[in-house]
Amino acid sequence: MTSIVQLMDSDEIAEAIAVSAMKMVGEYMGLSSAHIYITNIHDNTLMDIMAEWYAPGIVPRFDRSRDLPRYAFLSGTKLQAISSGSGVISAQWQEEMDNLGIKAMVVVPIRSSDRPAYMYACYDECDHERFWTVDEINFLSDATRIVESIIERRRYEINIAGSFESVRASLDNVGTSIYVREIRTGTLQFTNQTMIANFTSEVKYDKTEDRPLVRIFESQIPEDSDSGCIEIYNPQRDEYYELYYSHIIWMGQSPSLMCAILDITEKKKNQKKIEQLAYTDFLTGLYNRMCCERDLAKFVDSAVSEGTHGALLYLDLDDFKHINDGLGHQYGDVLLQAIAHSFTRVSGVEETCYRMGGDEFVIIIPPDSFSEMDRIVTDIKAIFNRPWFLKDADYYCTMSMGVVTFPGEGTQIQDLIKKADITMYEAKKSGKNKVAVYNSEMDSQSNKRLDMEKYMREAGRNGYEEFLVYYQPIIDIQLDGTPCVGAEALVRWDSSALGFVSPADFIPFAEYLGLIIPIGAHVLRKACETCKYWNEHGHPNYKVNVNLSVVQLVQPDIVQIVKTTLEETGIDPHNLTLEVTESLAINDMNKMKEVLAAIKALGCRIALDDFGTGYSSLNHIRELPIDVIKVDQSFVRELASDSYSQAFVRYISQLASIIDMSICVEGIETAQQFDVLADMDVRMVQGFYFDRPLPQEQFEEKYL
Ligand code: C2E
Ligand code: MG
Ligand code: MG
């Protein structure tokens, strides 16, 4: 029995083991022969022989092993022991035994675990009569059970081996790289052809210290995860993979890890392209708001973790709407594209320029470039110092910029963007074409602005009576006697809630809100009424200058408003001068010419205000129907000391007289400044040296 049990360790195939077992049992029991028959499951009249053994001297019974006529005694599911002359068997059985010369036999069915018995072990005694003892029968039964289990296991293993081959063959032919590693020993149990082809050296060097497969793939597998799929980037090869991993019992033997690696680099790259599209602003090719928020989060994180700094610049073009309205959208688009392109050429921020929509841009100064922030801001400003050639002429466009740094002023993306936006608005409010740097007061200023809007609208409900008109005398220095020839009307807001607000503080905001339109109309009416009063009270030639905002001028009904005001106040149109600023004249040339010509046709005069600070070329002076050029205060400030300012004023005054315009110099504060003007061809001046803007009564007390 021990010998039979040892057959379990045999490497032989089931048939060979069965033969050995039959031999052992036969010899031990002193039998004549022992067989294992297999009945044919498809045709139950046939049988095969799996194993046969004959004692020396016994003639083998069969000349072949397959498709033999089946013995009648190969039936039943119980052991049958036939001792000599037992007489309990069928006639057919007896006949078969007689034909075979069998004197006694034991038939033991061999059960297969998953189907009815169809194998039988037959132990024969042909030499002499034999009577089986219980011990003998038990031994044969036990021996057969052992053989049975060996055969069954062998068959199973053979099946496995067969399926292993087919698994290997099919796995070899798939495009996915697959390998199996035994967990206990760490050895590679299987690598398919695709794996070997794609990861030749990784497989080859698997046993080295580097363990490339572990490094690239297995180390990324989350602990405690039995199976799943993860994405892996391999920087050495710049490749992306999907790794499907699963803990399995490989070929029924040992716990192993199976890895299937799908190269998704191509897919990833396409995905990136699509992402790129989603992150790109279609018009300018810059990145868009979504991308800005994503990148900003990244930069803020790295600034926080590395203790560095970065900055967010929020830019908004000044008066872009007028270019769009004046030239048409296609030229507005060209301008946006040209500006966007210029941004990407500023060194240090080439990759971090974004269009947030409309005429708003964000530029992030990443921590790497932060030390160069001043230079970068200067470079960006310089972009707007030169004109853009659009349609058929040069156009200037300025921008207002808000600067906020991180992480100092915030780590929340939306918060930072909002702060930069508020700061940009501060820049815009302080007169456009400016850069403002965020400070914590700006939040409260932003709140103040909300208050201001509320009170401004409230003032509107009371007919704008809170908006007072002050008058600053305009002096003709070539006249003797009382040289006042009129006044510039300057608005003041005497707010019941906010106190006295200067125009510099509320006009840009009123422009932004569009409230400058009713406020401006109110000032125009008041000024015309006042001037009419002066004209009727001894000064028929006193003139009044009224400032018109860009926003008012682009209103389609501006000419009608001026006309109605002239009619209703009864002022002599020749005594009304409307002051417009240069920035407007440049951006909207054709429309401007048209509007100004129509206003002039009403009999009014036009003054070009703040000359020298804007961006108009002298060409514009010639093209526009202008009567008066108002030289900006900034030239006067330096007039006593700076020869350039002197030359500029002299040149403009000469030019003006040649083309039959007059010139008015603003902001004279000192006698020295006034003296310099004396030998120039300047007639009209304005300034604190003569008088400040005065309330109507004070002006009239003095000049009426
Ligand atoms: P502006 O049209 O150039 O007006 C001249 C500004 O210079 C006035 O400031 C005036 O007070 C100031 N000024 C006059 N002489 C001197 C001087 O000798 N030294 C100095 N430092 N300043 C002098 P204000 O009244 O604060 O107005 C500022 C700006 O607000 C004006 O500049 C004008 O652009 C705008 N503004 C004022 N009133 C109105 C208005 O009714 N409508 C519109 N649209 N804008 C207005
Ligand atoms: Mg003015
Ligand atoms: Mg001015």
Side-chain angles (χ1 to χ4, degrees):
M1 191 65 84
T2 312
S3 305
I4 295 171
V5 169
Q6 276 168 1
L7 285 177
M8 282 186 167
D9 289 335
S10 163
D11 286 336
E12 306 247 38
I13 59 167
E15 282 76 3
I17 293 172
V19 169
S20 304
M22 290 302 101
K23 180 168 183 273
M24 283 177 194
V25 173
E27 282 175 351
Y28 174 69
M29 293 277 290
L31 302 173
S32 308
S33 63
H35 292 84
I36 295 177
Y37 301 105
I38 306 173
T39 60
N40 190 311
I41 47 169
H42 304 295
D43 181 349
N44 64 6
T45 65
L46 297 177
M47 66 173 195
D48 299 335
I49 295 161
M50 185 189 190
E52 53 186 333
W53 169 82
Y54 301 95
I58 303 288
V59 184
R61 244 175 245 169
F62 307 106
D63 53 2
R64 60 194 159 99
S65 60
R66 297 195 151 262
D67 296 338
L68 298 155
R70 176 179 170 173
Y71 292 132
F73 55 75
L74 300 184
S75 63
T77 56
K78 291 210 172 74
L79 179 146
Q80 297 177 88
I82 317 298
S83 296
S84 298
S86 73
V88 294
I89 49 173
S90 67
Q92 195 189 4
W93 189 333
Q94 190 61 58
E95 197 186 318
E96 277 174 353
M97 280 179 69
D98 292 347
N99 287 345
L100 292 168
I102 297 174
K103 303 216 159 63
M105 68 189 302
V106 175
V107 180
V108 190
I110 295 177
R111 271 181 296 275
S112 173
S113 50
D114 56 348
R115 64 194 105 182
Y118 65 95
M119 279 201 226
Y120 294 87
C122 291
Y123 304 99
D124 312 322
E125 178 55 71
C126 305
D127 194 42
H128 51 83
E129 305 220 312
R130 187 158 183 161
F131 302 90
W132 306 108
T133 66
V134 172
D135 281 348
E136 283 173 334
I137 291 169
N138 283 343
F139 173 75
L140 288 173
S141 172
D142 291 346
T144 307
R145 291 284 80 87
I146 291 164
V147 172
E148 176 186 85
S149 81
I150 293 173
I151 291 171
E152 190 157 309
R153 209 169 107 195
R154 264 303 115 116
R155 295 217 155 241
Y156 171 71
E157 281 168 11
I158 287 161
N159 272 341
I160 293 270
S163 31
F164 179 79
E165 276 319 306
S166 56
V167 167
R168 179 190 282 275
S170 39
L171 291 185
D172 268 345
N173 288 317
V174 299
T176 311
S177 306
I178 297 172
Y179 71 88
V180 177
R181 182 188 300 289
E182 186 176 35
I183 287 170
R184 191 174 52 82
T185 60
T187 49
L188 283 185
Q189 292 165 297
F190 172 70
T191 44
N192 75 348
Q193 289 305 317
T194 316
M195 181 76 200
I196 292 167
N198 289 344
F199 298 97
T200 318
S201 74
E202 283 84 350
V203 170
K204 186 173 162 197
Y205 295 114
D206 184 60
K207 288 213 173 72
T208 64
E209 208 173 299
D210 179 38
R211 309 211 68 189
L213 293 175
V214 175
R215 174 168 47 79
I216 302 169
F217 301 113
E218 292 160 56
S219 64
Q220 319 269 336
I221 296 175
E223 265 175 63
D224 302 331
S225 170
D226 224 35
S227 63
C229 173
I230 50 173
E231 202 178 283
I232 285 174
Y233 175 65
N234 181 359
Q236 270 130 335
R237 294 212 206 167
D238 190 24
E239 284 178 350
Y240 292 88
Y241 317 107
E242 252 164 32
L243 170 65
Y244 294 85
Y245 60 91
S246 169
H247 285 91
I248 56 166
I249 304 292
W250 176 246
M251 294 305 157
Q253 286 170 345
S254 45
S256 304
L257 174 70
M258 181 182 218
C259 293
I261 302 150
L262 198 62
D263 187 330
I264 53 161
T265 309
E266 203 57 25
K267 182 175 130 188
K268 265 288 187 200
K269 289 193 171 152
N270 283 332
Q271 221 171 47
K272 271 209 167 149
K273 269 187 219 154
I274 292 166
E275 213 171 77
Q276 202 84 5
L277 281 181
Y279 279 140
T280 304
D281 171 55
F282 183 71
L283 177 68
T284 61
L286 292 184
Y287 297 115
N288 60 14
R289 173 185 290 270
M290 215 159 87
C291 187
C292 171
E293 290 172 3
R294 184 197 65 169
D295 289 359
L296 186 59
K298 204 175 65 194
F299 288 130
V300 170
D301 279 355
S302 80
V304 168
S305 65
E306 278 151 37
T308 53
H309 304 272
L312 179 67
L313 316 181
Y314 204 108
L315 289 85
D316 184 291
L317 305 185
D318 298 328
D319 303 322
F320 175 71
K321 188 178 177 302
H322 305 136
I323 291 206
N324 240 357
D325 293 350
L327 295 178
H329 282 272
Q330 67 272 41
Y331 290 98
D333 288 354
V334 169
L335 178 61
L336 290 174
Q337 285 163 346
I339 290 172
H341 181 67
S342 303
F343 287 158
T344 61
R345 288 169 51 182
V346 175
S347 141
V349 295
E350 297 94 331
E351 292 297 319
T352 50
C353 303
Y354 312 83
R355 179 170 175 236
M356 303 300 270
D359 61 346
E360 294 179 16
F361 297 89
V362 159
I363 295 175
I364 299 177
I365 301 181
D368 283 350
S369 312
F370 188 69
S371 61
E372 289 188 83
M373 171 147 147
D374 289 347
R375 195 263 308 150
I376 290 170
V377 170
T378 308
D379 285 0
I380 295 169
K381 276 161 75 178
I383 293 172
F384 296 90
N385 286 342
R386 56 183 182 78
W388 309 88
F389 189 79
L390 299 172
K391 209 166 187 173
D392 50 7
D394 279 347
Y395 289 84
Y396 281 90
C397 177
T398 61
M399 58 87 198
S400 302
M401 186 197 294
V403 181
V404 60
T405 56
F406 59 81
E409 273 142 15
T411 52
Q412 296 294 310
I413 303 317
Q414 294 308 334
D415 185 39
L416 279 172
I417 293 177
K418 186 176 160 225
K419 281 179 174 161
D421 189 5
I422 290 176
T423 311
M424 180 281 292
Y425 184 75
E426 274 320 300
K428 195 152 280 229
K429 202 189 73 173
S430 63
K432 299 177 182 171
N433 195 23
K434 297 246 161 62
V435 175
V437 178
Y438 176 82
N439 61 55
S440 55
E441 275 163 36
M442 283 181 181
D443 288 325
S444 65
Q445 271 164 15
S446 149
N447 286 336
K448 263 193 211 149
R449 236 177 8 241
L450 284 178
D451 289 346
M452 193 188 269
E453 174 175 359
K454 192 175 86 189
Y455 297 129
M456 215 184 277
R457 291 190 191 282
E458 265 170 26
R461 282 191 281 280
N462 301 322
Y464 296 101
E465 287 302 325
E466 284 186 357
F467 292 90
L468 309 176
V469 184
Y470 276 40
Y471 298 92
Q472 181 176 40
I474 298 174
I475 310 295
D476 185 338
I477 53 177
Q478 293 183 9
L479 286 182
D480 297 327
T482 341
C484 173
V485 291
E488 176 173 2
L490 293 159
V491 71
R492 301 287 178 265
W493 181 15
D494 187 12
S495 163
S496 56
L498 301 172
F500 212 76
V501 189
S502 97
D505 287 334
F506 73 84
I507 287 194
F509 190 47
E511 286 180 330
Y512 175 77
L513 296 173
L515 288 173
I516 192 66
I517 298 165
I519 295 172
H522 168 78
V523 173
L524 179 65
R525 175 168 300 267
K526 286 275 174 214
C528 288
E529 283 169 356
T530 305
C531 185
K532 165 88 172 155
Y533 177 78
W534 298 338
N535 296 153
E536 287 172 346
H537 290 81
H539 296 276
N541 294 321
Y542 267 15
K543 298 180 181 358
V544 74
N545 284 22
V546 178
N547 293 285
L548 281 191
S549 149
V550 170
V551 179
Q552 286 171 276
L553 269 167
V554 295
Q555 296 307 308
D557 58 351
I558 181 65
V559 179
Q560 188 56 46
I561 286 175
V562 174
K563 186 165 181 262
T564 315
T565 311
L566 290 173
E567 286 165 4
E568 291 179 6
T569 58
I571 184 181
D572 176 357
H574 293 283
N575 288 342
L576 174 64
T577 303
L578 294 169
E579 298 192 3
V580 300
T581 50
E582 280 183 292
S583 61
L584 173 82
I586 343 132
N587 281 348
D588 233 335
M589 274 296 280
N590 288 332
K591 190 168 179 199
M592 216 18 55
K593 267 194 248 175
E594 233 174 76
V595 171
L596 295 183
I599 291 177
K600 261 182 83 101
L602 300 173
C604 306
R605 301 189 329 142
I606 306 289
L608 187 58
D609 204 356
D610 303 341
F611 185 78
T613 58
Y615 295 87
S616 119
S617 68
L618 291 170
N619 258 345
H620 294 144
I621 297 188
R622 202 189 48 182
E623 278 183 49
L624 290 170
I626 290 165
D627 305 283
V628 181
I629 297 169
K630 298 192 76 172
V631 175
D632 190 71
Q633 312 181 3
S634 54
F635 293 96
V636 177
R637 214 167 294 136
E638 311 281 299
L639 201 55
S641 56
D642 177 42
S643 52
Y644 171 77
S645 294
Q646 283 183 18
F648 180 83
V649 176
R650 188 186 302 279
Y651 171 65
I652 296 301
S653 62
Q654 284 168 359
L655 180 83
S657 69
I658 291 167
I659 57 180
D660 203 23
M661 289 182 188
S662 48
I663 165 171
C664 176
V665 177
E666 294 188 83
I668 311 271
E669 293 183 358
T670 65
Q672 291 97 309
Q673 290 167 343
F674 181 52
D675 288 345
V676 178
L677 287 181
D679 72 323
M680 293 185 194
D681 193 11
V682 172
R683 287 191 70 163
M684 245 78 79
V685 292
Q686 246 175 286
F688 296 170
Y689 180 61
F690 307 99
D691 242 322
R692 295 185 171 259
L694 304 169
Q696 186 181 344
E697 315 80 72
Q698 280 183 33
F699 179 89
E700 290 174 358
E701 253 166 50
K702 240 177 133 170
Y703 295 100
L704 215 60

